[in-house]
Amino acid sequence: NAGVTQTPKFRILKIGQSMTLQCTQDMNHNYMYWYRQDPGMGLKLIYYSVGAGITDKGEVPNGYNVSRSTTEDFPLRLELAAPSQTSVYFCASSYRGELFFGEGSRLTVL
Amino acid sequence: KNEVEQSPQNLTAQEGEFITINCSYSVGISALHWLQQHPGGGIVSLFMLSSGKKKHGRLIATINIQEKHSSLHITASHPRDSAVYICAVPKASGSRLTFGEGTQLTVNP
């Protein structure tokens, strides 16, 4: 199993650009999450999904959108990128409470 | 006050020392998670526990539900244990976790 795979690992965006962070997992987990990690801060939940077709907002959803058309994929879309979205983004899945993380995507908005 | 507080924020140890990282939380929980984040960013789940103690190799995690406190111990620490250790607890509303800010551990040879 590849586990949780995120792409890209690094990206630089200009203010106002849009992009999609891809996340896929091959463990057939229903629960998936997107977090952002800012320096010196704990992980903050952006969006989560409890299964295909179901998504819900987390703590910091503004400026982001998600979709969950399949169990495997949970992409995160940034519309109109802003400097405040400069962060490291982690996708995760869980099964029976145990967490599995992707390797992270470092995004810089200039 | 944060719902999840870790201490210390930073910890430097010599190889071979016994390490303790603490986590206190204010919400009621069903289980607590300990995670490890290595330089370069990858996050790995170490433990999920709801009572008592769990051991994996040189790592031991304990939890006291009544006192809302958990500890992560590392015996015979090694430079490869250098990482950020993160405590996380679920909110009462199910699958959403609240994360501590992490403890940066550096083990010197």
Side-chain angles (χ1 to χ4, degrees):
Chain A
N1 285 352
V4 178
T5 303
Q6 283 181 241
T7 57
K9 288 189 169 44
F10 302 94
R11 183 73 186 267
I12 298 173
L13 281 181
K14 293 183 179 177
I15 294 172
Q17 286 186 320
S18 301
M19 75 160 296
T20 299
L21 297 175
Q22 302 290 346
C23 176
T24 187
Q25 51 94 6
D26 61 358
M27 298 172 283
N28 204 34
H29 292 169
N30 283 324
Y31 288 82
M32 294 188 74
Y33 313 86
W34 273 106
Y35 296 99
R36 60 177 287 171
Q37 185 180 42
D38 299 318
M41 306 288 286
L43 290 155
K44 301 290 186 188
L45 182 64
I46 306 171
Y47 270 95
Y48 69 103
S49 170
V50 299
I54 307 169
T55 62
D56 208 349
K57 296 178 180 179
E59 302 168 84
V60 290
N62 291 344
Y64 307 95
N65 275 301
V66 293
S67 59
R68 186 91 183 273
S69 57
T70 66
T71 300
E72 294 77 19
D73 299 308
F74 190 41
L76 177 72
R77 177 121 181 115
L78 281 72
E79 305 282 3
L80 298 174
S84 61
Q85 293 178 303
T86 294
S87 190
V88 181
Y89 292 84
F90 287 95
C91 179
S93 68
S94 72
Y95 177 69
R96 293 186 177 179
E98 186 175 0
L99 291 163
F100 300 82
F101 284 86
E103 293 188 357
S105 299
R106 186 176 294 274
L107 177 66
T108 302
V109 182
L110 300 174
Chain B
K1 189 176 180 353
N2 292 335
E3 291 177 316
V4 180
E5 293 206 341
Q6 291 185 232
S7 63
Q9 284 187 311
N10 294 283
L11 181 56
T12 300
Q14 288 301 120
E15 185 172 355
E17 285 185 3
F18 181 83
I19 304 247
T20 296
I21 299 170
N22 297 299
C23 176
S24 296
Y25 53 91
S26 58
V27 295
I29 66 166
S30 54
L32 179 144
H33 299 257
W34 281 104
L35 310 170
Q36 180 190 55
Q37 185 173 23
H38 274 287
I43 301 175
V44 175
S45 176
L46 296 175
F47 295 103
M48 183 178 70
L49 70 166
S50 55
S51 65
K53 180 167 81 173
K54 285 191 174 181
K55 185 174 188 288
H56 185 253
R58 296 180 294 106
L59 300 176
I60 303 166
T62 65
I63 189 168
N64 185 317
I65 296 292
Q66 287 73 31
E67 294 186 3
K68 296 187 176 179
H69 180 269
S70 176
S71 293
L72 177 68
H73 306 284
I74 305 175
T75 61
S77 60
H78 190 276
R80 66 174 173 266
D81 297 325
S82 298
V84 176
Y85 292 85
I86 302 168
C87 169
V89 300
K91 289 182 183 293
S93 56
S95 58
R96 298 166 60 166
L97 291 171
T98 297
F99 293 82
E101 293 182 3
T103 296
Q104 172 71 62
L105 170 66
T106 303
V107 182
N108 293 318

Short mmCIF file of all heavy atoms in Angstrom, two decimals, chain A residues 39-99:
data_model
loop_
_atom_site.label_atom_id
_atom_site.label_comp_id
_atom_site.label_asym_id
_atom_site.label_seq_id
_atom_site.Cartn_x
_atom_site.Cartn_y
_atom_site.Cartn_z
N PRO A 39 3.92 27.79 11.25
CA PRO A 39 5.08 27.69 12.16
C PRO A 39 4.69 27.94 13.61
O PRO A 39 4.02 28.94 13.93
CB PRO A 39 6.01 28.78 11.63
CG PRO A 39 5.66 28.92 10.19
CD PRO A 39 4.18 28.68 10.12
N GLY A 40 5.09 27.04 14.48
CA GLY A 40 4.83 27.20 15.92
C GLY A 40 3.40 26.97 16.34
O GLY A 40 3.06 27.17 17.51
N MET A 41 2.57 26.54 15.41
CA MET A 41 1.15 26.33 15.72
C MET A 41 0.79 24.87 15.55
O MET A 41 1.42 24.14 14.80
CB MET A 41 0.28 27.17 14.78
CG MET A 41 0.62 28.65 14.75
SD MET A 41 0.13 29.49 16.24
CE MET A 41 -1.63 29.56 16.01
N GLY A 42 -0.25 24.47 16.24
CA GLY A 42 -0.76 23.12 16.05
C GLY A 42 -1.48 22.98 14.72
O GLY A 42 -1.85 23.97 14.09
N LEU A 43 -1.66 21.76 14.29
CA LEU A 43 -2.42 21.49 13.07
C LEU A 43 -3.85 22.01 13.21
O LEU A 43 -4.49 21.80 14.25
CB LEU A 43 -2.43 19.99 12.79
CG LEU A 43 -1.10 19.38 12.36
CD1 LEU A 43 -1.04 17.90 12.71
CD2 LEU A 43 -0.89 19.57 10.88
N LYS A 44 -4.32 22.65 12.16
CA LYS A 44 -5.70 23.15 12.14
C LYS A 44 -6.47 22.45 11.04
O LYS A 44 -6.00 22.34 9.92
CB LYS A 44 -5.71 24.67 11.89
CG LYS A 44 -4.96 25.49 12.92
CD LYS A 44 -5.66 25.49 14.24
CE LYS A 44 -4.97 26.44 15.22
NZ LYS A 44 -5.53 26.32 16.58
N LEU A 45 -7.68 22.02 11.36
CA LEU A 45 -8.50 21.29 10.41
C LEU A 45 -9.18 22.26 9.44
O LEU A 45 -9.86 23.21 9.86
CB LEU A 45 -9.55 20.48 11.17
CG LEU A 45 -10.49 19.61 10.33
CD1 LEU A 45 -9.70 18.51 9.61
CD2 LEU A 45 -11.57 18.99 11.21
N ILE A 46 -9.01 22.00 8.15
CA ILE A 46 -9.62 22.84 7.12
C ILE A 46 -10.98 22.25 6.73
O ILE A 46 -12.01 22.91 6.81
CB ILE A 46 -8.71 22.95 5.89
CG1 ILE A 46 -7.31 23.43 6.28
CG2 ILE A 46 -9.33 23.90 4.85
CD1 ILE A 46 -6.30 23.34 5.14
N TYR A 47 -10.96 21.04 6.25
CA TYR A 47 -12.17 20.30 5.87
C TYR A 47 -11.96 18.83 6.20
O TYR A 47 -10.83 18.36 6.29
CB TYR A 47 -12.43 20.42 4.36
CG TYR A 47 -13.28 21.59 3.93
CD1 TYR A 47 -12.68 22.77 3.52
CD2 TYR A 47 -14.66 21.50 3.91
CE1 TYR A 47 -13.45 23.86 3.11
CE2 TYR A 47 -15.45 22.57 3.50
CZ TYR A 47 -14.83 23.74 3.11
OH TYR A 47 -15.59 24.82 2.70
N TYR A 48 -13.08 18.12 6.33
CA TYR A 48 -12.98 16.69 6.49
C TYR A 48 -14.14 16.00 5.79
O TYR A 48 -15.11 16.67 5.37
CB TYR A 48 -12.91 16.29 7.97
CG TYR A 48 -14.18 16.52 8.77
CD1 TYR A 48 -15.02 15.46 9.10
CD2 TYR A 48 -14.50 17.80 9.25
CE1 TYR A 48 -16.15 15.67 9.86
CE2 TYR A 48 -15.65 18.01 9.99
CZ TYR A 48 -16.46 16.95 10.30
OH TYR A 48 -17.61 17.15 11.04
N SER A 49 -14.00 14.70 5.65
CA SER A 49 -15.02 13.92 4.95
C SER A 49 -15.17 12.57 5.65
O SER A 49 -14.17 11.96 6.03
CB SER A 49 -14.61 13.71 3.49
OG SER A 49 -15.44 12.77 2.86
N VAL A 50 -16.40 12.16 5.81
CA VAL A 50 -16.65 10.87 6.47
C VAL A 50 -16.99 9.78 5.45
O VAL A 50 -17.30 8.65 5.84
CB VAL A 50 -17.75 10.97 7.54
CG1 VAL A 50 -17.33 11.96 8.62
CG2 VAL A 50 -19.08 11.37 6.92
N GLY A 51 -16.93 10.13 4.18
CA GLY A 51 -17.20 9.14 3.14
C GLY A 51 -17.45 9.83 1.81
O GLY A 51 -17.62 11.06 1.76
N ALA A 52 -17.46 9.06 0.76
CA ALA A 52 -17.68 9.62 -0.58
C ALA A 52 -18.99 10.39 -0.61
O ALA A 52 -20.01 9.91 -0.12
CB ALA A 52 -17.66 8.51 -1.62
N GLY A 53 -18.91 11.60 -1.16
CA GLY A 53 -20.08 12.45 -1.28
C GLY A 53 -20.41 13.29 -0.08
O GLY A 53 -21.35 14.09 -0.11
N ILE A 54 -19.63 13.15 1.00
CA ILE A 54 -19.92 13.87 2.25
C ILE A 54 -18.68 14.66 2.68
O ILE A 54 -17.62 14.07 2.89
CB ILE A 54 -20.30 12.89 3.38
CG1 ILE A 54 -21.44 11.97 2.95
CG2 ILE A 54 -20.67 13.67 4.65
CD1 ILE A 54 -21.67 10.83 3.91
N THR A 55 -18.83 15.96 2.79
CA THR A 55 -17.74 16.79 3.29
C THR A 55 -18.29 17.77 4.31
O THR A 55 -19.49 18.08 4.30
CB THR A 55 -17.04 17.56 2.17
OG1 THR A 55 -17.97 18.46 1.56
CG2 THR A 55 -16.47 16.63 1.12
N ASP A 56 -17.41 18.28 5.17
CA ASP A 56 -17.84 19.25 6.16
C ASP A 56 -16.68 20.17 6.51
O ASP A 56 -15.51 19.79 6.38
CB ASP A 56 -18.37 18.58 7.42
CG ASP A 56 -19.39 19.45 8.14
OD1 ASP A 56 -19.53 20.64 7.79
OD2 ASP A 56 -20.06 18.93 9.05
N LYS A 57 -17.03 21.37 6.97
CA LYS A 57 -16.03 22.36 7.31
C LYS A 57 -15.36 22.01 8.63
O LYS A 57 -16.00 21.50 9.55
CB LYS A 57 -16.67 23.75 7.41
CG LYS A 57 -17.24 24.25 6.10
CD LYS A 57 -17.91 25.60 6.29
CE LYS A 57 -18.47 26.11 4.95
NZ LYS A 57 -19.15 27.41 5.11
N GLY A 58 -14.08 22.38 8.69
CA GLY A 58 -13.36 22.29 9.94
C GLY A 58 -13.24 23.65 10.59
O GLY A 58 -14.13 24.48 10.49
N GLU A 59 -12.11 23.89 11.25
CA GLU A 59 -11.90 25.14 11.98
C GLU A 59 -11.60 26.33 11.08
O GLU A 59 -11.97 27.47 11.40
CB GLU A 59 -10.72 24.99 12.94
CG GLU A 59 -10.86 23.88 13.96
CD GLU A 59 -9.53 23.64 14.65
OE1 GLU A 59 -9.21 24.35 15.62
OE2 GLU A 59 -8.81 22.72 14.21
N VAL A 60 -10.90 26.09 9.97
CA VAL A 60 -10.40 27.19 9.14
C VAL A 60 -10.72 26.96 7.66
O VAL A 60 -9.84 26.88 6.82
CB VAL A 60 -8.88 27.39 9.35
CG1 VAL A 60 -8.59 27.96 10.72
CG2 VAL A 60 -8.11 26.09 9.15
N PRO A 61 -11.99 26.91 7.28
CA PRO A 61 -12.35 26.56 5.90
C PRO A 61 -12.31 27.70 4.89
O PRO A 61 -12.33 27.45 3.69
CB PRO A 61 -13.79 26.06 6.06
CG PRO A 61 -14.33 26.89 7.19
CD PRO A 61 -13.16 27.06 8.14
N ASN A 62 -12.25 28.95 5.39
CA ASN A 62 -12.39 30.08 4.46
C ASN A 62 -11.25 30.12 3.45
O ASN A 62 -10.08 30.05 3.80
CB ASN A 62 -12.44 31.39 5.24
CG ASN A 62 -13.72 31.53 6.04
OD1 ASN A 62 -14.68 30.80 5.80
ND2 ASN A 62 -13.73 32.42 7.00
N GLY A 63 -11.62 30.26 2.17
CA GLY A 63 -10.65 30.32 1.10
C GLY A 63 -10.35 28.98 0.47
O GLY A 63 -9.53 28.90 -0.45
N TYR A 64 -11.01 27.94 0.96
CA TYR A 64 -10.77 26.58 0.47
C TYR A 64 -12.08 25.90 0.09
O TYR A 64 -13.14 26.25 0.61
CB TYR A 64 -10.09 25.72 1.54
CG TYR A 64 -8.84 26.30 2.13
CD1 TYR A 64 -8.89 27.04 3.32
CD2 TYR A 64 -7.61 26.11 1.53
CE1 TYR A 64 -7.75 27.58 3.88
CE2 TYR A 64 -6.45 26.63 2.09
CZ TYR A 64 -6.53 27.37 3.26
OH TYR A 64 -5.40 27.90 3.81
N ASN A 65 -11.96 24.91 -0.80
CA ASN A 65 -13.08 24.04 -1.11
C ASN A 65 -12.58 22.62 -1.29
O ASN A 65 -11.41 22.41 -1.63
CB ASN A 65 -13.79 24.49 -2.39
CG ASN A 65 -14.81 25.56 -2.12
OD1 ASN A 65 -15.74 25.37 -1.35
ND2 ASN A 65 -14.62 26.72 -2.72
N VAL A 66 -13.45 21.66 -1.05
CA VAL A 66 -13.08 20.26 -1.22
C VAL A 66 -14.21 19.54 -1.95
O VAL A 66 -15.34 20.03 -2.06
CB VAL A 66 -12.82 19.54 0.12
CG1 VAL A 66 -11.58 20.07 0.82
CG2 VAL A 66 -14.05 19.63 1.02
N SER A 67 -13.87 18.35 -2.43
CA SER A 67 -14.86 17.45 -2.99
C SER A 67 -14.45 16.03 -2.63
O SER A 67 -13.27 15.77 -2.34
CB SER A 67 -14.96 17.62 -4.50
OG SER A 67 -13.71 17.36 -5.11
N ARG A 68 -15.39 15.12 -2.64
CA ARG A 68 -15.07 13.72 -2.34
C ARG A 68 -15.99 12.86 -3.21
O ARG A 68 -16.99 12.31 -2.78
CB ARG A 68 -15.34 13.42 -0.85
CG ARG A 68 -14.89 12.04 -0.42
CD ARG A 68 -13.51 11.98 0.08
NE ARG A 68 -13.05 10.65 0.41
CZ ARG A 68 -13.23 10.03 1.59
NH1 ARG A 68 -13.88 10.66 2.55
NH2 ARG A 68 -12.76 8.82 1.78
N SER A 69 -15.58 12.74 -4.47
CA SER A 69 -16.40 11.97 -5.40
C SER A 69 -16.11 10.48 -5.30
O SER A 69 -16.95 9.65 -5.69
CB SER A 69 -16.17 12.47 -6.84
OG SER A 69 -14.79 12.39 -7.15
N THR A 70 -14.96 10.12 -4.79
CA THR A 70 -14.61 8.71 -4.60
C THR A 70 -14.05 8.52 -3.19
O THR A 70 -13.64 9.48 -2.54
CB THR A 70 -13.56 8.23 -5.61
OG1 THR A 70 -12.33 8.92 -5.36
CG2 THR A 70 -13.99 8.49 -7.05
N THR A 71 -14.01 7.29 -2.73
CA THR A 71 -13.40 7.00 -1.42
C THR A 71 -11.92 7.36 -1.41
O THR A 71 -11.39 7.80 -0.42
CB THR A 71 -13.59 5.52 -1.07
OG1 THR A 71 -14.98 5.23 -1.02
CG2 THR A 71 -12.95 5.17 0.27
N GLU A 72 -11.26 7.17 -2.57
CA GLU A 72 -9.81 7.31 -2.61
C GLU A 72 -9.32 8.76 -2.61
O GLU A 72 -8.27 9.06 -2.08
CB GLU A 72 -9.25 6.63 -3.86
CG GLU A 72 -9.42 5.12 -3.91
CD GLU A 72 -10.82 4.69 -4.28
OE1 GLU A 72 -11.60 5.50 -4.84
OE2 GLU A 72 -11.17 3.53 -3.97
N ASP A 73 -10.06 9.66 -3.24
CA ASP A 73 -9.54 10.99 -3.53
C ASP A 73 -10.24 12.08 -2.74
O ASP A 73 -11.47 12.08 -2.62
CB ASP A 73 -9.68 11.28 -5.03
CG ASP A 73 -8.89 10.30 -5.87
OD1 ASP A 73 -7.69 10.12 -5.59
OD2 ASP A 73 -9.48 9.71 -6.80
N PHE A 74 -9.45 13.03 -2.26
CA PHE A 74 -9.99 14.14 -1.47
C PHE A 74 -9.18 15.40 -1.81
O PHE A 74 -8.33 15.84 -1.04
CB PHE A 74 -9.90 13.80 0.01
CG PHE A 74 -10.64 14.74 0.93
CD1 PHE A 74 -11.89 15.24 0.61
CD2 PHE A 74 -10.08 15.10 2.16
CE1 PHE A 74 -12.57 16.10 1.46
CE2 PHE A 74 -10.77 15.95 3.04
CZ PHE A 74 -12.00 16.44 2.68
N PRO A 75 -9.43 16.01 -2.96
CA PRO A 75 -8.65 17.19 -3.35
C PRO A 75 -9.07 18.44 -2.60
O PRO A 75 -10.24 18.62 -2.26
CB PRO A 75 -8.94 17.31 -4.85
CG PRO A 75 -10.28 16.65 -5.02
CD PRO A 75 -10.34 15.55 -4.01
N LEU A 76 -8.10 19.32 -2.37
CA LEU A 76 -8.33 20.60 -1.70
C LEU A 76 -8.06 21.71 -2.71
O LEU A 76 -6.97 21.80 -3.27
CB LEU A 76 -7.39 20.76 -0.51
CG LEU A 76 -7.46 22.08 0.25
CD1 LEU A 76 -8.76 22.17 1.05
CD2 LEU A 76 -6.26 22.23 1.18
N ARG A 77 -9.05 22.57 -2.92
CA ARG A 77 -8.91 23.64 -3.89
C ARG A 77 -8.75 24.98 -3.19
O ARG A 77 -9.51 25.29 -2.26
CB ARG A 77 -10.13 23.69 -4.80
CG ARG A 77 -10.12 24.81 -5.82
CD ARG A 77 -10.21 24.27 -7.21
NE ARG A 77 -10.17 25.36 -8.19
CZ ARG A 77 -9.18 25.51 -9.06
NH1 ARG A 77 -8.18 24.64 -9.09
NH2 ARG A 77 -9.19 26.51 -9.91
N LEU A 78 -7.74 25.72 -3.61
CA LEU A 78 -7.53 27.08 -3.14
C LEU A 78 -7.98 28.03 -4.26
O LEU A 78 -7.46 27.96 -5.37
CB LEU A 78 -6.07 27.37 -2.84
CG LEU A 78 -5.50 26.86 -1.53
CD1 LEU A 78 -5.33 25.35 -1.55
CD2 LEU A 78 -4.18 27.54 -1.23
N GLU A 79 -8.95 28.85 -3.96
CA GLU A 79 -9.41 29.85 -4.91
C GLU A 79 -8.84 31.20 -4.49
O GLU A 79 -8.87 31.54 -3.32
CB GLU A 79 -10.94 29.93 -4.89
CG GLU A 79 -11.65 28.61 -5.15
CD GLU A 79 -11.68 28.21 -6.62
OE1 GLU A 79 -11.10 28.94 -7.45
OE2 GLU A 79 -12.28 27.18 -6.93
N LEU A 80 -8.32 31.96 -5.45
CA LEU A 80 -7.83 33.31 -5.15
C LEU A 80 -6.84 33.29 -3.99
O LEU A 80 -7.08 33.81 -2.91
CB LEU A 80 -9.00 34.24 -4.81
CG LEU A 80 -10.04 34.44 -5.93
CD1 LEU A 80 -11.21 35.27 -5.43
CD2 LEU A 80 -9.38 35.11 -7.14
N ALA A 81 -5.69 32.67 -4.24
CA ALA A 81 -4.69 32.49 -3.19
C ALA A 81 -4.28 33.82 -2.55
O ALA A 81 -4.13 34.83 -3.23
CB ALA A 81 -3.46 31.79 -3.76
N ALA A 82 -4.10 33.76 -1.23
CA ALA A 82 -3.70 34.93 -0.45
C ALA A 82 -2.46 34.57 0.37
O ALA A 82 -2.24 33.39 0.69
CB ALA A 82 -4.83 35.35 0.48
N PRO A 83 -1.63 35.58 0.72
CA PRO A 83 -0.43 35.30 1.52
C PRO A 83 -0.73 34.54 2.82
O PRO A 83 0.09 33.76 3.29
CB PRO A 83 0.14 36.69 1.79
CG PRO A 83 -0.31 37.50 0.60
CD PRO A 83 -1.68 36.99 0.28
N SER A 84 -1.92 34.76 3.38
CA SER A 84 -2.29 34.07 4.63
C SER A 84 -2.44 32.57 4.44
O SER A 84 -2.52 31.82 5.42
CB SER A 84 -3.61 34.64 5.16
OG SER A 84 -4.65 34.44 4.22
N GLN A 85 -2.48 32.12 3.19
CA GLN A 85 -2.59 30.68 2.92
C GLN A 85 -1.22 30.02 2.76
O GLN A 85 -1.15 28.81 2.50
CB GLN A 85 -3.45 30.44 1.68
CG GLN A 85 -4.91 30.83 1.91
CD GLN A 85 -5.78 30.64 0.69
OE1 GLN A 85 -5.50 31.20 -0.38
NE2 GLN A 85 -6.83 29.86 0.83
N THR A 86 -0.17 30.79 2.92
CA THR A 86 1.17 30.22 2.97
C THR A 86 1.26 29.31 4.19
O THR A 86 1.05 29.76 5.33
CB THR A 86 2.24 31.33 3.06
OG1 THR A 86 2.23 32.08 1.84
CG2 THR A 86 3.62 30.74 3.29
N SER A 87 1.52 28.03 3.95
CA SER A 87 1.49 27.07 5.04
C SER A 87 1.96 25.72 4.50
O SER A 87 2.26 25.56 3.33
CB SER A 87 0.05 26.95 5.57
OG SER A 87 0.01 26.19 6.76
N VAL A 88 2.02 24.75 5.41
CA VAL A 88 2.23 23.36 5.01
C VAL A 88 0.90 22.65 5.19
O VAL A 88 0.27 22.74 6.25
CB VAL A 88 3.33 22.68 5.84
CG1 VAL A 88 3.52 21.24 5.37
CG2 VAL A 88 4.64 23.45 5.75
N TYR A 89 0.48 21.97 4.16
CA TYR A 89 -0.82 21.30 4.16
C TYR A 89 -0.63 19.79 4.25
O TYR A 89 0.20 19.21 3.55
CB TYR A 89 -1.57 21.66 2.88
CG TYR A 89 -1.98 23.11 2.83
CD1 TYR A 89 -1.09 24.08 2.40
CD2 TYR A 89 -3.24 23.50 3.24
CE1 TYR A 89 -1.45 25.42 2.37
CE2 TYR A 89 -3.62 24.82 3.22
CZ TYR A 89 -2.71 25.78 2.79
OH TYR A 89 -3.08 27.11 2.77
N PHE A 90 -1.39 19.19 5.13
CA PHE A 90 -1.35 17.75 5.30
C PHE A 90 -2.72 17.15 5.04
O PHE A 90 -3.72 17.61 5.58
CB PHE A 90 -0.91 17.37 6.72
CG PHE A 90 0.53 17.61 6.99
CD1 PHE A 90 0.94 18.80 7.59
CD2 PHE A 90 1.48 16.66 6.67
CE1 PHE A 90 2.28 19.04 7.84
CE2 PHE A 90 2.82 16.88 6.92
CZ PHE A 90 3.22 18.07 7.51
N CYS A 91 -2.72 16.09 4.26
CA CYS A 91 -3.90 15.28 4.08
C CYS A 91 -3.75 14.05 4.97
O CYS A 91 -2.63 13.56 5.18
CB CYS A 91 -4.02 14.85 2.62
SG CYS A 91 -5.43 13.81 2.24
N ALA A 92 -4.84 13.56 5.51
CA ALA A 92 -4.78 12.38 6.37
C ALA A 92 -6.04 11.55 6.18
O ALA A 92 -7.08 12.06 5.74
CB ALA A 92 -4.64 12.78 7.84
N SER A 93 -5.92 10.29 6.48
CA SER A 93 -7.09 9.42 6.54
C SER A 93 -7.06 8.71 7.88
O SER A 93 -6.03 8.68 8.57
CB SER A 93 -7.09 8.42 5.38
OG SER A 93 -6.05 7.47 5.53
N SER A 94 -8.19 8.14 8.25
CA SER A 94 -8.21 7.40 9.50
C SER A 94 -9.11 6.18 9.41
O SER A 94 -10.07 6.15 8.63
CB SER A 94 -8.63 8.28 10.68
OG SER A 94 -10.01 8.59 10.60
N TYR A 95 -8.75 5.19 10.22
CA TYR A 95 -9.53 3.96 10.31
C TYR A 95 -9.54 3.53 11.76
O TYR A 95 -8.47 3.37 12.36
CB TYR A 95 -8.92 2.87 9.42
CG TYR A 95 -9.63 1.54 9.52
CD1 TYR A 95 -10.93 1.39 9.01
CD2 TYR A 95 -9.03 0.45 10.12
CE1 TYR A 95 -11.59 0.18 9.10
CE2 TYR A 95 -9.69 -0.77 10.22
CZ TYR A 95 -10.96 -0.89 9.70
OH TYR A 95 -11.63 -2.09 9.80
N ARG A 96 -10.73 3.38 12.32
CA ARG A 96 -10.86 3.04 13.74
C ARG A 96 -10.04 3.98 14.61
O ARG A 96 -9.44 3.56 15.59
CB ARG A 96 -10.45 1.59 13.98
CG ARG A 96 -11.40 0.60 13.34
CD ARG A 96 -11.06 -0.83 13.70
NE ARG A 96 -12.02 -1.77 13.14
CZ ARG A 96 -11.96 -3.09 13.27
NH1 ARG A 96 -10.99 -3.63 13.99
NH2 ARG A 96 -12.85 -3.86 12.71
N GLY A 97 -10.00 5.25 14.21
CA GLY A 97 -9.33 6.27 15.00
C GLY A 97 -7.86 6.43 14.71
O GLY A 97 -7.28 7.47 15.03
N GLU A 98 -7.22 5.44 14.10
CA GLU A 98 -5.79 5.57 13.82
C GLU A 98 -5.59 6.44 12.59
O GLU A 98 -6.28 6.30 11.59
CB GLU A 98 -5.14 4.21 13.60
CG GLU A 98 -3.62 4.30 13.45
CD GLU A 98 -2.95 2.96 13.34
OE1 GLU A 98 -3.65 1.92 13.39
OE2 GLU A 98 -1.71 2.94 13.20
N LEU A 99 -4.62 7.35 12.70
CA LEU A 99 -4.38 8.35 11.67
C LEU A 99 -3.24 7.96 10.75
O LEU A 99 -2.23 7.40 11.19
CB LEU A 99 -4.04 9.68 12.32
CG LEU A 99 -5.18 10.38 13.05
CD1 LEU A 99 -4.61 11.44 13.98
CD2 LEU A 99 -6.15 10.99 12.07
#
